Amino acid sequence: MEIYVFSVLVFLLSLFMASFMAASAGNFNQEVDLTWGGDRAKILSGGNVLSLTLDKVCGSGFQSKSEYLFGRIDMQIKLVGGNSAGSVTAYYLSSEGPYHDEIDFEFLGNLSGEPYTVHTNVYTQGKGDREQQFHLWFDPTKDFHLYSVVWNHQRIILLVDDTPIRVYENQESIGVPFPKNQPMKLYSSLWNADQWATRGGLVKADWSKAPFTAYYRNFKANACLWSSGSSSCSLKTTSSITNNAWQTQGLDSTGRRSLRWVQKYYMIYNYCTDYKRFPMGRPRECRLSKHF
């Protein structure tokens, strides 16, 4: 009963958030560049919708025109439907170079009727290995859903329909690096990873079902823009960011309850509890963090 009631509340909240985002979204023609895949990447409906397509020859991708150094990034995505096995829809923030920072959502496709796996990771100074994986409490192929990254000086929060699924705290005080100096762009791509994506590569892409297409809308970056070596937030003007609540955003009691619910019922892998992987001891952040 508790799961059902909470699922209804989450669903109603997602509807509210979707209507809010629709009223304050950016235009893809102004906000992103289509970077690879030729005409497999398309901006539609006057800039309100973007689609990425994967076929047997090639996938496709885009990136934001702007770089950000802290902010809240929102996107509504409708994932590949049907038999999506072998495909990966990646949606992430990343800087450049061998010591890059990165904050990942990756959606691993599956056979028809089987759940997507949401693969998350955080890279700092070129090092990742901080994977957490989840299933979702809805079918992400039937409609658009909101996927968000909150990135401030204190923590990173990953949210689905405004429900937190992961928190990565700033623990520099105990020697754990935190992404804070490298501006990042938003990237997304749809590509073939059937050597590993579905059941460790046991299930391959069924190209008779191609092309595979994912759709995007309501992109919003409420963030500090990075340009010419400086941040728009350093200007300390009211026009530099429209709503600065994300700058100190954490989890209140409702958020903590939501996070526990997701981690109890929908988390399927957590690097912090994989003792076999770290026989010499878990990563330092896992030993102290209440959120992992």
Side-chain angles (χ1 to χ4, degrees):
M1 182 65 181
E2 178 188 0
I3 299 175
Y4 173 77
V5 172
F6 196 79
S7 298
V8 171
L9 292 174
V10 168
F11 175 71
L12 293 174
L13 179 61
S14 70
L15 292 179
F16 170 78
M17 287 302 301
S19 64
F20 171 78
M21 290 301 301
S24 55
N27 185 289
F28 284 114
N29 286 315
Q30 300 169 0
E31 301 289 347
V32 308
D33 292 317
L34 306 180
T35 49
W36 63 284
D39 62 3
R40 295 173 184 82
K42 297 178 181 179
I43 295 176
L44 310 167
S45 301
N48 293 318
V49 176
L50 186 152
S51 67
L52 295 181
T53 293
L54 165 68
D55 58 33
K56 194 171 184 179
V57 175
C58 189
S60 51
F62 68 89
Q63 68 183 46
S64 63
K65 294 179 182 291
S66 298
E67 290 184 295
Y68 316 105
L69 188 62
F70 302 111
R72 174 169 175 146
I73 308 297
D74 295 296
M75 183 82 77
Q76 289 185 328
I77 307 173
K78 182 179 180 182
L79 296 175
V80 175
N83 185 352
S84 58
S87 71
V88 171
T89 306
Y91 163 65
Y92 60 102
L93 290 166
S94 182
S95 59
E96 297 181 343
Y99 302 104
H100 72 291
D101 294 336
E102 188 172 323
I103 305 168
D104 287 350
F105 276 101
E106 288 187 311
F107 304 95
L108 313 185
N110 212 334
L111 296 169
S112 297
E114 297 295 321
Y116 264 80
T117 294
V118 182
H119 178 94
T120 70
N121 207 346
V122 177
Y123 286 74
T124 57
Q125 301 173 16
K127 184 182 184 302
D129 299 328
R130 301 182 177 97
E131 302 92 343
Q132 289 184 356
Q133 294 183 338
F134 307 84
H135 287 155
L136 293 168
W137 49 95
F138 54 84
D139 184 343
T141 72
K142 297 300 185 183
D143 204 348
F144 287 89
H145 290 270
L146 180 65
Y147 303 93
S148 307
V149 176
V150 172
W151 171 33
N152 58 37
H153 289 273
Q154 296 81 37
R155 63 192 57 85
I156 294 163
I157 308 173
L158 302 184
L159 306 104
V160 176
D161 287 338
D162 221 40
T163 297
I165 66 169
R166 179 172 187 176
V167 177
Y168 182 81
E169 297 282 356
N170 184 337
Q171 297 190 76
E172 291 180 296
S173 61
I174 61 169
V176 179
F178 186 82
K180 65 175 186 179
N181 296 317
Q182 300 186 57
M184 299 195 249
K185 287 189 175 184
L186 173 71
Y187 297 85
S188 191
S189 58
L190 175 56
W191 52 289
N192 174 27
D194 68 0
Q195 69 274 24
W196 64 270
T198 306
R199 299 181 188 174
L202 294 177
V203 181
K204 303 297 184 182
D206 181 355
W207 297 111
S208 70
K209 302 294 193 297
F212 307 112
T213 303
Y215 296 91
Y216 302 74
R217 71 182 187 188
N218 294 343
F219 170 45
K220 182 182 179 184
N222 184 12
C224 301
L225 301 180
W226 185 264
S227 180
S228 302
S230 64
S231 168
S232 62
C233 293
S234 66
L235 301 177
K236 299 185 184 301
T237 64
T238 55
S239 61
S240 61
I241 45 176
T242 57
N243 180 349
N244 64 2
W246 59 264
Q247 290 185 306
T248 56
Q249 184 172 340
L251 298 186
D252 59 14
S253 59
T254 301
R256 290 191 296 272
R257 180 170 179 246
S258 298
L259 181 67
R260 289 193 298 269
W261 175 75
V262 171
Q263 293 186 340
K264 180 177 180 179
Y265 295 108
Y266 296 99
M267 177 182 280
I268 59 173
Y269 178 78
N270 182 2
Y271 78 109
C272 276
T273 58
D274 191 344
Y275 293 91
K276 291 182 179 180
R277 182 178 173 185
F278 303 106
M280 304 303 293
R282 295 182 302 159
R284 189 174 300 178
E285 68 268 19
C286 297
R287 302 171 208 170
L288 298 179
S289 175
K290 57 183 179 295
H291 298 309
F292 300 129

